[in-house]
Structures are given as C-alpha cells and as structure tokens.
Amino acid sequence: MTPRTAELRRQSLAAEPCLSGERARLITEFYQANTGHYSVPVLRARAFLHLCQHKTLYLGEGELIVGERGPRPKAVPTFPELTCHSLEDLQILNSRPKTWYRVDAECLELYERTILPYWRGRSMRDRMFAELPSEWRAAYEAGLFTEFMEQRAPGHTVLDDKIYRKGMLDFKRDIAAARANLDFLDDPAAYAKREALNSFDLSCDALILFAERHAALARELAEREPQPQRRAELERLAAVCARVPAHAPRDFYEALQSYWFCHLGVITELNGWDAFNPGHLDQHLWPFYQRGLADGTLTRAAARELLECFFIKFNNHPAPPKVGVTAAESGTYTDFANINLGGLLPDGADGANELSHILLDIVDEMHLLQPSTNIQLSSKSPDAFLKHALRVVRQGYGFPSLFNADAVVLEQLRQGKSLEDARAGGCSGCVEVGAFGKEAYILTGYFNLVKVLELTLHNGVDPRTGNALGPQTGAAASFATYDALFGAFGQQLRHFIDLKIRGNRLIEQMYAQEMPAPLLSVLIDDCIARGRDYNAGGARYNNTFIQMVGLGSLTDCLSAIQHSCFNGSPVARLELADLVAILERDFAGNEPLRQRLLHRTPKYGNDDDRADTLMRAVFDACFAAVDGRPDARGGRYRVEWLPTTCHVYFGSVTGAMPDGRRAGWPLSEGISPVQGADRHGPTAVLKSAAKLDHVKTGGTLLNLKFAPNVVSSDEGLDQWAHLVRAYFKMDGHHVQFNVVTAETLRQAQAQPEQHRDLIVRVAGYSDYFCDLSPELQEEIISRTEHGTLGNAK
Amino acid sequence: MSPRATLAPTDTQLDPTAALLAGQPGEQRGWIFNIQRCSVQDGPGIRSTVFLKGCPLCCAWCHNPEGQAPQPELIVLDTRCIACGQCRNACAFGQAWDAAQPPRPPAENCALCGECVAVCPTGARQLIGEHRSVASVVAAVEPDRIFYDESGGGVTFSGGEPLLQPDFLKALLEACRARGLRTAVDTCGFACTETLLAVAQRADLILFDVKLMEEAKHRQYTGVSNGPILENLRALDRVHKDLWLRVPLIPGINDDAANLDAVARLALGLTGLRQISLLPYHRAGALKFRRLGQACALADLEPPSASAVERAAAHLRAFGLEVRTGR
C-alpha cells in the first residue's frame, strides 16, 4: 500500500455503518410528484435520473477513484419502494449488538413523517405479502424456506467486458437502433418495448449526468486546492469523469472509474442481491494495463495504487440492511461482490495474467472484508497461480475461494449456453454460476431440507407449532421400510418445492411488471436487442435458483434412521416411532442414544458409501423436484447448494433430529459434512462431496478448515494444491478453506476488541469473526480441524 | 526400559502367523492398527499410511505406543467418555471394574472380547489391532488413488514395525505394485537382513529411521542395539536407490551436535540417500500412552522449539545434505 491507500483503508475500516435517509427522501418526493404520469419503466428510469441529479456527492481527501452510493463512506441508503423499514426496524438496526447500522434522530423523523406514511402498503414487500397464498406464508413462517426478493430486488448479476468497449453514448445508439426497428403494426409488444427502450435510454443519460456532476465537483475542488500535486490529481479525475462512462475508456484509470460508475448506478437504481460485480477484472483490465505500460502512460506502481483505491470503494459499501427473518439468515455487512481471477478466455485459453497476481497481492496486503475474490482454476491454470492463491488463503482471511473453471463451463453448457458465453462466465455471490453480462440468474431463497424430514416424521405437522403444513404422508409408525419413509419424504419435498415456486411466480411477475431495472438492462445482453427489461426476461439467459440447505445433516439423519430403525439387527432395533418420541423430548434422558447416533452411525463426509448413497438419493430427489421447471422470465428453475448463514436460522426452527443434533442447533452448511462428523481427513471429505453430481447444479459450497501448521511449509502447500486439483478432477465445483486455529478463535471470542480484524470464511463468503453470532462462532470453532494427531482416530 | 529383543530377530521368531499362513498369498492376513488417509509426512505426495502392529523397539518417545505390542489392545479416550456405564454392564467381569473414570477392566480378566467397545455410544472405547487380509487393506487404500496420482503419492507401510510381519508386508507390497500404486516402507531397521532386502525389493521407497548413533544410548532409549540397524542400512544402500533417513528430534536425547554429526557422517556414506527428514518430538505419544493406561517415560518433555528444529536442520545441511523438517 502507498501512504494514500493505507490512509484510505484506515478511514474505510474506521467509518461506522449508518443509514442515510437521503435516497428514501428523494425517491419519495419523486413518486409523490410523478406517479401516474409515465409508464412504469419510464417512471423508474426518471426516478433514477432524479437520484443521480440530486444525491449528495462525496469526494474524499486523497481519493483517485470516486463515487459513493450514500452521502459518505458506509452511509447506506434505503429502498422504501421495495421494503419499507418500520420505526421499530430502524431502532433494532441502530441498537443490535452485531452488524448494526446507526440511525440518527433526523432519519427516524424522516421515516415517521414522510417515508412510512407514503410507502406503508405501497412497498413491494407489503403488497407481496398481501398477495401470497396463506399456505405459502405458513410454510415461510415455519422456516421451510426463505424468500430473497421480499426485501431486495432480483440481482446476482455480473458484468462482462462490454463497458470497456462501449460507453453510454454507444449504448444510446444501440437503443435508438432497436427503437427504430420496432414494428408497431405486427408486434403486439411494440409499445411495451418502446417504453422499455425509452427507460434504458434515460438511464444512460442519468449515469452520464452522475459522472459529470463528479467531474464538476473535482474541478471545483481542484481550483481551491493549494497543493499542486493534489490539484493535478483532481484535474485528472475531472477529465476522467467527464469522459467515462459516456465514452468507452481509453486507459487503465478510465476503465476502473467507468466500472465504478456503472456499479454505483446499478446499486442505486435498485438494491439487487449481491450488489454488482466486475467479474473477470484481471482479464478486462489486461489490454489497458499492457497498453499503458507499453506507451509509458502507466507504471506498475500506479496501476496497483489505482486498484487499491478501487478495492477500498467496495469496502465502503456495506450491504443494505435487512430485517426480520433475513437478518438471521445473513447477518453480515458484506454485499457479496466477488471478483473472479484467472479462469478461461472465451477462446478457451488460460485467462490468468500478471494482473491476476497483482490482485492476489492486493488481497493479501489489504485484507478487506469487501470485495470478495475467488480464483477460477482450470486444468490449464498454472500451478504458480494456484499456489499464489493458496499462500493468500493461508493468511487465514478466507480469500480467495477456489472454483473449478472447467466444471463451471460444463454446468453452463448443460443449461444450454454457448461455449464462449460459458467460458466468459464464472462465479458470483457465494458460489453461483452465471454467464457474465448475459444472464439473469436469480436466487429465490434457501430451502430447509431437514425441516422437510421433520414434517415427514410427523405426518405433515410441524411439531414446533402443531400446525399442519404438509400433506398427510403417514405417521412414523406406519413406515414398514426405509424406502417407504424416503418415499414420504419425497412427497413432502415436492409439496414444499411446489409451494415455493408458486410464491415465486407471483413475486417474479410483480418485479417484471412493476419494478424494472433500466440501467442494469443496458448492461446485460440482450435486453436492448429484445426491448425487454432484465427483470422481465430480457437477458440472453435466464435461470432461477433454489438454494438447498442441510444436505449433510439430512444425509446423516437418513443414515441414522436406516441403520438404527431398519437395517440394524432385530434385537437392537429401535422403532422409528420411539425415536420420534425421543426427538420430541430433545433426547432428554437419552444421552447415550444421542451419542450412539452421533458416533456409531455412518456419516456423510467419510467416503463411506453407506451414507454417501443416501446423499445421492437426496440430491436426485431435489434435482427432480426443481430442475427444468419454467420460471416467469422464460428460463428454468435449478438447484444450488449454499447456505450463506441460513443453516443457523434453519437449525433454530428445527427440532432434535435422528443424526443426534439437538433442537435448535445449526444444520450443516453447503455440501460440507455435519460439523465434526468427518473423521477421516480431507481426502475422504472431498471424495464424499465429489459423489454429488456438481455439473447438474448452479453451484455447490464446500468448506474445509485447516490448522495453519498443515499448510505452513512449502510441501504442505504443494499437497494442499494437489487436494484442490484432485477435487476439481472429480468435477467438484468449489472449495474454500479456513486456515486458523481454534485457540485463536477462542481468544477472539474472549477479547473481541483485540481481534476485530479477524476474518474467517463463513460459508461462501468471509466475515469478521467478531461480528458473527455466538452460535456461528461456536460452529466455526467446532468445524473439524484437519491434520490433527498422527493416529488418533 | 526392558529390552524386548537383544539379538537381530528372525522371521519365525517374531511373526508366528507367517508360518501359519505361508503359501496363501491372496488370503494373507496380518495385524494392523490404523490406516491413515491424507498422510503427508510419510513419503512424497498425498499418501495412505498403513500401520502394522508390533514393534521390536520400545522408544521412550514413541508417538504410536498403541503400535508396540503385537496383540490387540483396548484403548479408552477419556475425552469422549460420558460415564454412561454401558461398558461395565456389557462386561462379564463388570463387577470387578474399579470406579475410575473412564472405566477400565482389570488387565488380568480382560480377554479383549470387544463387548464393551461394541456398546460404547461415543466410540471412547476402541480395540486397537485388526487381523485383516491383504485384499481388505488394498481395498481401503484404493479410494484415494486420485490423490496419489495427482500428487505423486501412494501407500506407506509403517507401524509399529512392518518388518515384524514380513510375509504379510511382502504380499501387501506386491498387491499394490500389481495395481500400480507406489509404495514406501517406514522401518526402524531392526530385522533380519534378508527380510529387509526382500521387502525393499518390492517397495519404491524406504524410509529408514536413525535415532541415536551412540550404541549405549540407543539401548537405553529404544531397548535394542543399533548395531544390526546400521549394518542393515549399509546393506540396504547397496541394493536400493531410493532411501530417506528419518531422524526423530528428541530434545536433550539425540539433538546434540555429536549425534547430529554422526548421523551426517552416516548419511554421507550412503549412495541411495535422497533426503533426511527431521521429525520433531511431539506430545501425541504422551496422550496415547494415557489412553492405553500406560506410563509415558517422557511425559514432561517439551517439544523442541521451531528455532531448535531449524538449528538442527541447519547443522545437517552444513554437511551438504538435503534436509526436510516435519511438523
């Protein structure tokens, strides 16, 4: 880091997350004055223009990359048109011990006087919940599934290389051409297309205006700046902002600033999940970098400093605060922008370059919470690249995570994408696969697989509340065989997947009709060519995902049932109904049985086919229930296996289960084994996990924890690299490593003030350990530390 | 320390099963006490290490004391015991158990029937030592083949002392070789020379332990003379081209300059030597002695510091030797 970036980093870490009422005020005054005057798309584009015109700008001391979503770093705007926080919500956000957002009296008053009276009943969330079927609500409240779009807009979107080739003025020309081609006689959708294209065009103007305001501010500051060096910097910045994003960038600096304006535009227009993401940053910047070095306009040091400034910008942007259920499901400041390094070029060649290594060094040196980074490792990726990444992971910050670029291509080919689009794609958010710049791959919510088994064991009734939620598939005593039980589980699964999809149909159509995303539509192919919004199926590819949670826990539950209740010796046989009664009492008075279930039953994660075949059966049932069903944007439903932190919430609403888990304890996360159930080391975990057919998913998440001593030597690093390569040879999708000792984590629990900077891999992303809930902290500690005593079984 | 053997042993003395089972290669069986997957210290790459039970030495610092006795043993992990009492109830001599926790049957009564192990809900009680066939061992090391392929790893036979079961070991090595699995044998070298050479012929790599160069100290700390061991090493070096020396680094016992100098001189005389692995003493052994209900002679010994390990490595490197340090 340079003194400049060290100072900017310090400021970014020190800034306190707070809510800013400005966006809510601007959007409310705009809606009050303009609702009903325009078509919905144009209204949204004009609302965005209004924000770009009036929002407070920020240009900090020493900054080279400029622009904030809020009035200053870590000041987070709200989106009342989507989710309108109540006063109580705001007070909770202000006072909760973890991931708080300070809310001042002025903001509270604004909400009380202006925001709430207008949006209560009008926000997407309020209207959605009024419309969703009561069955859906009952299942949602019981914790069978969550819903991403109740609080945030569909997003999960990553940019490709187009903004480095084209400016907003070029996009405006494309829009004009598409508009000129509309057939108002024979195309019944022509009017709707025109309104969409008009909204796209307006959003380009809005973003240009936003940049020009920054140019003017930089000029103004330059005039007043006494220091010649800073004055020159501000003048250069003014020139950059006057040029991009209106025009295509000409150099490295313009390329970064152009992306950042697009990023801010997308996350100001709506609050889509996972913010926004530059995707293959190393590949996109590579031509500018090479050209700059060749013609002498750029040095390596200058490029690195600009990249550091760029990284700090991400860190200045905590996620928009959520409330209620989703506060537990994702208690984090991170907004999941996840930069891809390496990977493949569209022509199939290796995509790693010198910038990939520079970016790894930056991740290593700055260790910021945001942005997330990952490496895309193909069979062509050099070992030096993998090992460089592992040396960074070894520091224990959880970055970067590791993806199998070859599997990522295969997964997309299976979905019907072109080979080139698949190679230009990658991973975003936690582990999710998409065709960057060409796809809307929307996550809809987590799905609690273990709760489905709990209902199966209670004939469709939730034992926690006594509510009948699922079909009556038979009492526990009625299952004569394991297959009969698993058949009933399949029926319950199908029932709740159907319910989830029914709800989603409504939500997706509400977004398509009432909450378009004009700027995002400009940036994603082929919205302009189709004259159709991103939220209405304008993207070239559309996929909708349900995130399955609890694979390891469910597998172990089924294994316990199979081995204790059906396959065991008749003498020792435990009746399923008796087991269910014991579970209802949370194993009270039956600790030895609980221990036997925990320790003497085949478990997923040990390369033991007795358990792993059950895991495959669960996978197949989920795949059959979801994959290929049509979504509302002309795409298909798919499965993903990632939990973020939802396995903790899902565990809290699920009673004691046959795997020995007590009521309320977290479920397993991603496709990782139950915490502590894997007893045969990392190769056995990887073998078990590879038995799942990763290519049929849109992403899987596997978490392994290593004690640092395992990988501290060069040989350790070599073997670690081999583990990763072997897992990827078996088509594994993703693996991430926590390299930290349990002792360190205990110290951090005891003295959080001294360990504020401790970042751990949680599940698909990294977070500050001290910001995690106590249960999640415990879980991270209890995750098996591989590489323990030589022969201790 | 009572020496278990004072002369170089012969096959039949030490492996009675060898005589019984000779001539049935496929069904050959032997005693093993663990198969450790993802082993990264016992040879190159990612390996599975098969631990054969029984050892002619009884080193004070032994980190696998459960591998010393050739017969099965009961171990109890006190950290896992929940004092449920099921073990005592399952045991024919349950009334004779003392009240200690975790409960342990009196040694004179225990026939290692395994009843208490079968009922233990937490797995705190384990019978160490299984009589397994070559086929079952090979089946257990096969699953990690993709990791061996990727890393240049394979299967290591360790112990205990694998040469105590020479026919079993030879059959294992042949079975692995027939399946294209690369092998290593980790030996203390205390065996009859013919056996050692016959085994070495069938293994891709030999990991040969050198503990103490001074004869009297070797006897004191391991229970046997180092004479046959060093002779075996020289004999081995004449026929095998891939040899690693493994030197456990035990503070105050063998980490002095004199011993390291002697190790270095020995190493310099070997033509097949590829590297010396320095294995710093760690306390896993002390924990395992406790689980076995045995006393650990070095219970209070502190592991060497990282800098002490590095000093020892540098000392050997000064002789121009290739030295790696374990963790």
Side-chain angles (χ1 to χ4, degrees):
Chain A
M1 278 180 276
T2 61
R4 178 206 311 274
T5 50
E7 173 56 21
L8 289 170
R9 175 182 183 274
R10 192 196 61 74
Q11 289 174 11
S12 182
L13 291 175
E16 190 168 55
C18 63
L19 275 198
S20 159
E22 185 184 60
R23 187 187 178 283
R25 180 175 57 75
L26 287 170
I27 203 89
T28 306
E29 74 188 25
F30 175 84
Y31 267 79
Q32 283 171 332
N34 292 284
T35 303
H37 292 269
Y38 306 101
S39 67
V40 169
V42 169
L43 182 79
R44 284 304 301 172
R46 286 189 176 274
F48 176 55
L49 181 65
H50 185 75
L51 292 170
C52 289
Q53 257 168 344
H54 297 291
K55 83 167 283 299
T56 305
L57 300 188
Y58 176 85
L59 203 172
E61 185 64 40
E63 283 197 314
L64 296 179
I65 301 292
V66 69
E68 289 288 326
R69 166 156 68 174
R72 62 190 174 278
K74 292 199 176 166
V76 185
T78 56
F79 295 73
E81 70 269 42
L82 301 176
T83 304
C84 187
H85 294 84
S86 66
L87 292 178
E88 194 195 351
D89 288 339
L90 297 177
Q91 272 144 6
I92 291 171
L93 287 172
N94 186 42
S95 59
R96 69 184 181 193
K98 303 278 182 188
T99 55
W100 66 81
Y101 292 78
R102 296 291 172 237
V103 185
D104 62 18
E106 196 187 333
C107 184
L108 278 172
E109 195 191 324
L110 174 74
Y111 258 76
E112 190 171 8
R113 293 224 176 141
T114 314
I115 312 299
L116 275 161
Y118 185 80
W119 289 108
R120 197 37 89 221
R122 280 194 177 95
S123 74
M124 289 288 276
R125 186 170 197 255
D126 288 352
R127 291 172 50 214
M128 211 176 271
F129 275 87
E131 290 283 338
L132 285 161
S134 59
E135 265 183 293
W136 185 97
R137 294 186 56 151
Y140 170 84
E141 279 158 17
L144 275 147
F145 47 71
T146 66
E147 175 49 58
F148 269 57
M149 283 170 282
E150 48 125 353
Q151 301 211 1
R152 292 183 69 173
H156 226 281
T157 309
V158 184
L159 199 49
D160 58 4
D161 64 344
K162 68 171 68 70
I163 64 153
Y164 309 99
R165 293 183 279 105
K166 285 180 166 184
M168 290 295 138
L169 295 172
D170 300 304
F171 294 127
K172 280 173 70 75
R173 275 189 284 277
D174 294 345
I175 292 163
R179 205 162 32 194
N181 280 337
L182 289 176
D183 178 352
F184 286 93
L185 180 61
D186 288 324
D187 180 357
Y191 173 74
K193 288 179 182 172
R194 189 192 72 183
E195 290 307 293
L197 289 166
N198 284 345
S199 76
F200 300 170
D201 193 54
L202 276 165
S203 72
C204 294
D205 293 337
L207 199 65
I208 293 170
L209 174 70
F210 187 58
E212 281 173 348
R213 287 184 63 212
H214 282 89
L217 176 60
R219 270 193 300 273
E220 196 187 309
L221 290 174
E223 278 162 22
R224 281 190 274 136
E225 176 61 50
Q227 245 195 352
Q229 194 196 332
R230 180 61 182 159
R231 188 161 61 236
E233 282 171 9
L234 286 165
E235 283 163 358
R236 173 88 196 274
L237 177 59
V240 168
C241 296
R243 174 81 194 176
V244 293
H247 303 274
R250 294 166 301 184
D251 59 30
F252 195 81
Y253 193 171
E254 288 181 355
L256 282 172
Q257 183 63 57
S258 185
Y259 172 79
W260 189 246
F261 279 131
C262 292
H263 184 101
L264 287 178
V266 169
I267 65 172
T268 298
E269 167 179 76
L270 284 171
N271 64 355
W273 276 94
D274 296 345
F276 200 46
N277 184 338
H280 290 290
L281 189 64
D282 50 355
Q283 296 183 15
H284 300 325
L285 294 177
W286 183 235
F288 299 104
Y289 180 72
Q290 279 181 303
R291 209 182 307 146
L293 290 186
D295 65 18
T297 54
L298 185 71
T299 63
R300 284 186 170 80
R304 179 154 175 168
E305 184 173 48
L306 282 167
L307 285 168
E308 287 172 358
C309 290
F310 184 72
F311 266 51
I312 290 164
K313 278 292 163 191
F314 285 88
N315 200 60
N316 283 350
H317 287 77
K322 291 155 271 173
V323 291
V325 163
T326 49
E329 107 194 20
S330 186
T332 174
Y333 290 130
T334 190
D335 209 7
F336 298 96
N338 197 339
I339 292 173
N340 288 232
L341 303 177
L344 294 163
L345 300 174
D347 66 5
D350 174 43
N353 57 43
E354 189 187 332
L355 277 173
S356 322
H357 289 277
I358 290 176
L359 285 162
L360 283 172
D361 285 336
I362 290 173
V363 172
D364 195 10
E365 192 185 358
M366 300 190 89
H367 51 84
L368 293 164
L369 182 63
Q370 300 195 77
S372 299
T373 42
N374 70 73
I375 68 159
Q376 298 280 322
L377 188 75
S378 82
S379 57
K380 294 169 188 164
S381 302
D383 281 343
F385 176 55
L386 170 59
K387 286 184 193 171
H388 189 174
L390 291 176
R391 280 196 298 276
V392 180
V393 178
R394 188 161 67 182
Q395 303 303 317
Y397 299 106
F399 299 134
S401 53
L402 313 175
F403 288 92
N404 179 353
D406 301 312
V408 164
V409 168
L410 276 181
E411 289 157 23
Q412 295 184 83
L413 291 179
R414 191 193 74 85
Q415 297 167 353
K417 296 172 194 167
S418 81
L419 183 58
E420 289 76 12
D421 289 352
R423 284 172 177 156
C427 299
S428 59
C430 292
V431 298
E432 302 87 305
V433 169
F436 293 172
K438 300 165 189 74
E439 181 176 2
Y441 49 117
I442 310 300
L443 275 62
T444 66
Y446 301 105
F447 189 89
N448 188 344
L449 287 170
V450 183
K451 187 82 189 169
V452 174
L453 180 64
E454 189 181 31
L455 291 184
T456 310
L457 294 174
H458 291 88
N459 200 10
V461 174
D462 182 359
R464 208 163 143 259
T465 57
N467 294 339
L469 301 175
Q472 295 190 359
T473 47
S478 70
F479 301 119
T481 62
Y482 172 82
D483 288 345
L485 169 78
F486 192 70
F489 169 80
Q491 280 182 56
Q492 297 283 353
L493 175 72
R494 179 78 190 199
H495 172 83
F496 290 107
I497 292 286
D498 286 355
L499 199 54
K500 170 83 183 135
I501 290 178
R502 257 173 69 198
N504 278 127
R505 295 230 190 286
L506 171 81
I507 295 166
E508 287 164 28
Q509 286 176 60
M510 278 181 73
Y511 267 100
Q513 288 158 17
E514 298 174 38
M515 207 46 74
L519 178 64
L520 186 54
S521 303
V522 170
L523 298 173
I524 302 299
D525 299 328
D526 301 311
C527 296
I528 294 174
R530 292 179 178 177
R532 212 186 212 179
D533 193 85
Y534 175 88
N535 281 349
R540 183 175 302 168
Y541 305 110
N542 287 282
N543 283 295
T544 301
F545 291 92
I546 297 177
Q547 292 75 54
M548 299 293 174
V549 176
L551 181 70
S553 294
L554 178 62
T555 300
D556 291 355
C557 288
L558 293 171
S559 171
I561 290 172
Q562 190 177 52
H563 288 88
S564 299
C565 303
F566 295 106
N567 283 5
S569 78
V571 186
R573 183 174 156 154
L574 176 65
E575 291 302 327
L576 184 60
D578 296 341
L579 175 59
V580 170
I582 289 167
L583 298 179
E584 283 167 2
R585 296 193 299 272
D586 197 12
F587 293 105
N590 283 281
E591 184 61 14
L593 173 68
R594 194 178 83 83
Q595 291 295 332
R596 176 166 286 278
L597 295 169
L598 276 176
H599 296 287
R600 307 296 298 262
T601 306
K603 299 271 182 182
Y604 168 68
N606 295 293
D607 195 13
D608 180 343
D609 277 334
R610 291 174 301 169
D612 296 348
T613 50
L614 303 176
M615 177 278 287
R616 290 181 60 135
V618 169
F619 175 85
D620 289 345
C622 293
F623 183 80
V626 174
D627 189 79
R629 300 177 71 176
D631 70 12
R633 287 170 290 113
R636 302 278 168 191
Y637 274 90
R638 315 279 184 199
V639 286
E640 281 168 344
W641 301 80
L642 66 112
T644 313
T645 57
C646 200
H647 56 298
V648 177
Y649 161 64
F650 279 169
S652 74
V653 296
T654 306
M657 290 302 283
D659 62 343
R661 183 188 140 280
R662 283 191 187 284
W665 285 13
L667 307 181
S668 62
E669 44 82 12
I671 62 164
S672 310
V674 168
Q675 297 77 1
D678 50 317
R679 298 282 171 79
H680 292 98
T683 59
V685 174
L686 296 173
K687 283 290 301 291
S688 277
K691 290 175 195 175
L692 183 151
D693 195 346
H694 295 254
V695 177
K696 287 172 154 180
T697 74
T700 61
L701 183 147
L702 177 65
N703 208 328
L704 282 179
K705 184 176 162 193
F706 280 165
N709 61 345
V710 180
V711 290
S712 56
S713 67
D714 288 347
E715 292 98 322
L717 199 76
D718 287 349
Q719 305 319 336
W720 194 10
H722 293 314
L723 283 176
V724 173
R725 291 277 194 188
Y727 183 55
F728 287 178
K729 247 188 191 175
M730 295 185 281
D731 286 345
H733 171 82
H734 154 274
V735 61
Q736 69 192 23
F737 299 95
N738 267 320
V739 182
V740 67
T741 58
E743 195 188 344
T744 307
L745 297 176
R746 290 274 176 224
Q747 285 166 2
Q749 268 185 320
Q751 298 152 318
E753 290 315 315
Q754 285 151 42
H755 295 86
R756 278 276 169 232
D757 64 334
L758 181 61
I759 298 177
V760 292
R761 201 78 192 166
V762 180
Y765 72 96
S766 293
D767 212 335
Y768 290 116
F769 181 76
C770 297
D771 283 342
L772 302 175
S773 65
E775 305 92 89
L776 205 55
Q777 289 182 342
E778 282 304 319
E779 183 205 310
I780 300 252
I781 292 171
S782 75
R783 263 182 212 150
T784 311
E785 283 197 50
H786 293 290
T788 49
L789 301 178
N791 288 312
K793 277 189 192 172
Chain B
M1 204 111 342
S2 67
R4 278 216 186 107
T6 48
L7 296 168
T10 62
D11 276 6
T12 43
Q13 272 177 319
L14 286 165
D15 185 16
T17 56
L20 285 173
L21 292 166
Q24 304 167 51
E27 292 305 308
Q28 191 93 23
R29 293 175 92 85
W31 289 97
I32 68 165
F33 66 95
N34 191 15
I35 297 177
Q36 169 97 28
R37 294 173 70 165
C38 200
S39 170
V40 293
Q41 299 278 326
D42 300 328
I46 296 169
R47 314 185 71 83
S48 290
T49 301
V50 180
F51 293 89
L52 279 74
K53 200 153 161 45
C55 185
L57 275 60
C58 46
C59 304
W61 52 80
C62 182
H63 68 285
N64 285 334
E66 75 277 34
Q68 289 186 358
Q71 71 277 9
E73 286 165 283
L74 178 70
I75 65 160
V76 186
L77 283 64
D78 51 1
T79 49
R80 285 213 212 154
C81 178
I82 56 166
C84 65
Q86 295 191 40
C87 46
R88 192 187 299 258
N89 295 339
C91 180
F93 307 100
Q95 299 310 313
W97 291 22
D98 63 26
Q101 286 300 342
R104 213 176 264 287
E108 64 275 18
N109 287 343
C110 181
L112 295 171
C113 68
E115 290 296 331
C116 66
V117 173
V119 298
C120 177
T122 65
R125 311 180 74 81
Q126 295 171 7
L127 262 185
I128 298 299
E130 285 180 285
H131 202 219
R132 288 179 68 160
S133 69
V134 170
S136 99
V137 173
V138 171
V141 299
E142 271 286 351
D144 276 353
R145 181 186 281 273
I146 191 164
F147 298 98
Y148 315 148
D149 288 352
E150 189 61 42
S151 66
V155 185
T156 299
F157 296 97
S158 179
E161 170 48 58
L163 289 171
L164 270 191
Q165 303 180 60
D167 291 338
F168 180 51
L169 179 60
K170 280 185 272 184
L172 286 168
L173 291 167
E174 282 166 10
C176 286
R177 186 164 276 181
R179 286 164 179 77
L181 295 169
R182 295 181 63 79
T183 56
V185 170
D186 178 13
T187 177
C188 70
F190 193 77
C192 98
T193 310
E194 277 168 37
T195 304
L196 174 66
L197 298 185
V199 163
Q201 225 176 27
R202 293 165 171 82
D204 297 305
L205 170 69
I206 305 292
L207 312 175
F208 199 100
D209 301 355
V210 174
K211 301 166 204 289
L212 272 163
M213 295 302 290
E214 194 188 310
E215 161 71 12
K217 269 182 125 178
H218 197 277
R219 270 183 195 277
Q220 180 192 346
Y221 283 106
T222 72
V224 303
S225 159
N226 65 7
I229 293 175
L230 297 175
E231 270 174 41
N232 274 343
L233 177 58
R234 292 186 192 101
L236 181 66
D237 187 51
R238 285 192 284 274
V239 298
H240 206 282
K241 286 194 281 296
D242 220 340
L243 205 59
W244 291 11
L245 287 192
R246 309 233 295 176
V247 181
L249 195 67
I250 319 297
I253 296 178
N254 74 347
D255 62 345
D256 51 292
N259 189 54
L260 292 174
D261 285 344
V263 168
R265 281 195 297 274
L266 172 73
L268 288 171
L270 301 170
T271 54
L273 184 72
R274 296 286 165 265
Q275 69 165 64
I276 298 182
S277 310
L278 268 185
L279 307 174
Y281 171 75
H282 59 75
R283 285 174 152 166
L287 174 67
K288 292 178 179 181
F289 275 115
R290 191 168 77 233
R291 289 173 176 169
L292 284 161
Q294 295 173 12
C296 173
L298 300 180
D300 298 326
L301 186 65
E302 292 281 336
S305 66
S307 59
V309 175
E310 221 17 74
R311 260 199 313 279
H315 193 107
L316 293 172
R317 285 192 189 112
F319 288 85
L321 295 162
E322 171 81 23
V323 181
R324 303 265 172 104
T325 54
R327 73 185 124 90

